[in-house]
Each structure stands twice: as C-alpha cells, then as structure tokens.
C-alpha cells in the first residue's frame, strides 16, 4: 500500500475496496443496517419499558415456561455472569422468579411471572408496528424476500466450527486459538 503522504487526493493510496466505498461489501452493508434496526428496535421497546435483552429473555421464558439460567445464557449467547446480572434486574422488576441464592454449578430454574407476561403483551403493538414492511422502507414482497435471505445468512454465519464460510477450509481452533 502506498504511503498516505504520497497521495494526490482523497482515496489515493487506499485499497480499492476502501476507496470505492465499503458499503458495496454485503457484510458491511448488513452490519450497518443491522445496527440501525437494532437501535430502532431498542427505541420502540423502550416506549413500553423493555430493553431488547429483557424482551428476548421474557419471550424465551414465555415459550418454554421454565429454563435454567445457563440455558438462557446459551440461547442469548451471553456469559453466565451477564445472564445473572440481567436476571437480577428482571427479578427486581417482578418479571421473573428464580430461587434464592444459588451456589456455583447449581441449577437455577427461572420462571416468568404474570407481570412478565403483561410486559410482553404491552410489547405487542410495538412489534406489530415494527413488523410492517413499510417501517423498513419495503413492500410486502420485498420483506418476504429479505426474510428468506436473512434466514440464509443466519444459517451460513452460524455454521458449526470448521464449516466452509469463506470459500476454503477452516482450521479447527486449537487450545491457543480458542476465544476466551
């Protein structure tokens, strides 16, 4: 890559993908759109007193009736410590119940309360509004196409370790390569 000091103008000396605008890279465009939709989702849920993680925990508990803290952490891809803090706030709000102090390694069953069900019901109109394709600037047909494409993207990026995501064999992470 050329030294930026030798540049003749904006974009000179940059790699082509950067000079031409990284918005043309599908993963970059999807990440930007995802961040914007996440912000919209959070703002709208806040109007009924919910946050996205709170909402997702309540949805999982409403559908399963009872889950352990560890099961919730895995489903939300959170650390057990983060899930514990999140559940503490939900217990304080009266939206979930869990047993008293639990020792490390002990199963902690978590249940949604009636107040938690009511909080989910309050989110119904927000979700109905966010579910309208026009909110995303789409037609019904475009929204259906987008949904199908997003399902394919999720399947591809959530493939098991070693799966061919980037067009070539992926190494199996060894102990030194495993994220902590």
């Amino acid at each position: 890559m050329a030294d930026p000091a030798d540049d003749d103008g904006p974009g000179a000396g940059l790699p082509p993908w950067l000079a031409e605008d990284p918005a043309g890279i599908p993963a970059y465009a999807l990440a930007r759109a995802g961040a914007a939709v996440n912000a919209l989702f959070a703002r709208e849920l806040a109007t009924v007193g919910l946050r996205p993680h709170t909402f997702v925990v309540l949805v999982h508990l409403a559908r399963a009736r009872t889950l352990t803290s560890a099961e919730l952490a895995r489903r939300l891809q959170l650390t057990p410590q983060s899930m514990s803090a999140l559940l503490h706030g939900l217990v304080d709000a009266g939206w979930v119940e869990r047993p008293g102090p639990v020792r490390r390694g002990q199963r902690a069953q978590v249940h949604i309360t009636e107040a938690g069900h009511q909080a989910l019901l309050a989110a119904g109109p927000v979700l109905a509004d966010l579910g309208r394709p026009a909110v995303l600037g789409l037609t019904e047909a475009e929204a259906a196409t987008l949904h199908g494409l997003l399902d394919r993207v999720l399947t591809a990026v959530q493939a098991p370790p070693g799966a061919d995501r980037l067009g070539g064999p992926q190494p199996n992470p060894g102990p030194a390569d495993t994220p902590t």
Side-chain angles (χ1 to χ4, degrees), residues 144-168:
T145 299
L146 178 62
H147 191 268
L149 292 171
L150 290 173
D151 279 345
R152 284 178 49 195
V153 169
L154 282 172
T155 298
V157 300
Q158 292 178 340
D164 183 6
R165 284 188 193 93
L166 301 176

Side-chain angles (χ1 to χ4, degrees), residues 8-167:
D8 291 327
L14 294 174
W17 64 266
L18 186 55
E20 293 170 10
D21 187 4
I25 300 169
Y28 180 79
L30 185 57
R32 289 184 61 218
V37 171
N38 282 339
L40 172 66
F41 189 66
R43 280 192 314 271
E44 294 302 314
L45 281 177
T47 65
V48 293
L50 292 172
R51 295 182 327 207
H53 274 98
T54 301
F55 171 76
V56 173
V57 168
L58 293 176
V59 166
H60 280 282
L61 288 173
R63 292 175 54 89
R65 291 286 185 211
T66 300
L67 292 169
T68 66
S69 178
E71 289 168 330
L72 282 166
R74 278 191 296 278
R75 289 180 182 202
L76 274 69
Q77 299 179 345
L78 295 174
T79 65
Q81 297 82 2
S82 294
M83 179 53 64
S84 179
L86 181 57
L87 287 174
H88 184 75
L90 291 171
V91 168
D92 287 349
W95 292 341
V96 300
E97 294 175 337
R98 64 179 176 174
V102 177
R103 291 188 307 262
R104 183 176 169 90
Q106 185 179 9
R107 290 177 58 92
Q109 297 287 332
V110 182
H111 311 274
I112 189 169
T113 65
E114 182 57 34
H117 280 288
Q118 292 304 314
L120 277 179
L121 290 177
V126 169
L127 296 174
D129 190 46
L130 289 173
R132 293 183 308 109
V135 169
L136 301 177
L138 302 172
T139 66
E140 293 280 339
E142 290 168 335
T145 299
L146 178 62
H147 191 268
L149 292 171
L150 290 173
D151 279 345
R152 284 178 49 195
V153 169
L154 282 172
T155 298
V157 300
Q158 292 178 340
D164 183 6
R165 284 188 193 93
L166 301 176

